[in-house]
Amino acid sequence: MTTDRTPLTRTELAGLLTDAAQSVSGILTAEYPTAAGRSYLHPVLGPLAAGPQVVGELNDRLEGFVAAEPRPATPAGLFTLASYASALGWLTESFAELTASVDQICTLVGIPTEPRDPAVAALDGAEQDDAFDFAFSALELVAIRTAAQAAGLTPDDYVEVLSQSLLAAARITDACMEISNGLLEDAAYVLDEATDHVWIGDGPDSLPTLVRSLLARMEAAQ
C-alpha cells in the first residue's frame, strides 16, 4: 500500500543524494580482518564485505522514496530519481565485477600443485631474488617471501595474485569515487539550480551527472 504525501522538498531530495554519496564513499574505508594466509586479498576484503550492505541499504531507500512519492512528478523529484537509480545500478554492476575478480583470484590460488621438496623451494626462492631485483627492494623481497610462505604460494604466484587484488581494489575505488562525486554534484544541482520547469531538455547538460557518465561509458565501449 502506498502513501500519498506532499512531494519532497529540494532540501530533502538533495539530502537523499548526499546520504547515498556518503554511504558509497564509506565503502572505501571499510576494514575486514585478513588472515596471514590470505594477505593477498587484503586490498579487496573491506570493500567486498561492505559493498553488499550498502547496495541493500540504497535499494531500500530508493524503494522507500518511490513508495512515499509513487510517481515523482516534480522536475527535482524526477532528476533525483534518475540520479539515484543510476548510482544504484552502477554500484551493483561494480560489485558484481569485484566479486568476479575475487572469485578468479581464489580459483588461481586453489589450483592443486605437486608437493615441493623444501630444498628445491629454498633454491627457487634464492633464484627468484634476481627476477625481482628490478621491482622490489631487499626488504620488500623478504616481506614477499614471508607472505607467500604463509599463503602457501611461491613468491611469483603471490605477486601475481596480489597484483590482481590491487587492480580490483583500484577499479572499485574509482567506481565508488565517481559515483559518490556524481551524487554530490547532482545534490548540489537539485538544491541550488533546479526550478519548477521541466529539467529534461535537448542537451546532455540537462541530465544528471551519473546518467551522463553512464552514457559516456556506453559510447566508449562501442
Side-chain angles (χ1 to χ4, degrees):
M1 179 178 177
T2 59
T3 302
D4 293 329
R5 68 170 195 171
T6 302
L8 297 178
T9 66
R10 293 180 194 174
T11 300
E12 291 171 326
L13 293 170
L16 187 68
L17 296 178
T18 300
D19 289 345
Q22 292 173 346
S23 294
V24 173
S25 63
I27 292 172
L28 303 180
T29 59
E31 294 288 343
Y32 191 86
T34 308
R38 296 291 181 267
S39 60
Y40 49 85
L41 288 176
H42 180 71
V44 295
L45 287 184
L48 189 66
Q53 180 178 351
V54 173
V55 170
E57 290 175 353
L58 294 188
N59 186 66
D60 290 343
R61 293 177 196 169
L62 179 61
E63 291 180 353
F65 171 50
V66 175
E69 193 178 13
R71 300 181 63 181
T74 67
L78 291 171
F79 188 94
T80 300
L81 178 59
S83 176
Y84 202 105
S86 298
L88 180 57
W90 190 340
L91 187 64
T92 301
E93 178 186 354
S94 297
F95 272 98
E97 294 174 353
L98 176 63
T99 302
S101 297
V102 173
D103 285 344
Q104 184 178 17
I105 293 171
C106 292
T107 298
L108 285 175
V109 299
I111 297 176
T113 57
E114 294 295 330
R116 307 184 69 198
D117 183 272
V120 174
L123 179 61
D124 286 349
E127 293 175 346
Q128 286 163 351
D129 283 352
D130 293 336
F132 290 141
D133 278 346
F134 296 104
F136 302 104
S137 68
L139 290 177
E140 289 170 336
L141 288 173
V142 171
I144 288 171
R145 287 197 297 271
T146 300
Q149 183 178 14
L153 301 171
T154 66
D156 277 337
D157 289 341
Y158 184 86
V159 170
E160 178 182 355
V161 294
L162 178 60
S163 297
Q164 291 191 23
S165 183
L166 289 169
L167 180 59
R171 287 171 177 165
I172 193 64
T173 295
D174 288 345
C176 287
M177 288 301 297
E178 191 162 1
I179 293 169
S180 179
N181 289 338
L183 285 166
L184 291 176
E185 289 180 17
D186 289 344
Y189 177 83
V190 168
L191 189 61
D192 298 332
E193 300 179 30
T195 69
D196 292 333
H197 300 291
V198 177
W199 58 267
I200 298 178
D202 295 331
D205 291 342
S206 62
L207 296 173
T209 302
L210 292 175
V211 175
R212 297 199 305 270
S213 297
L214 287 171
L215 289 175
R217 291 177 65 202
M218 293 173 62
E219 291 177 358
Q222 291 178 351

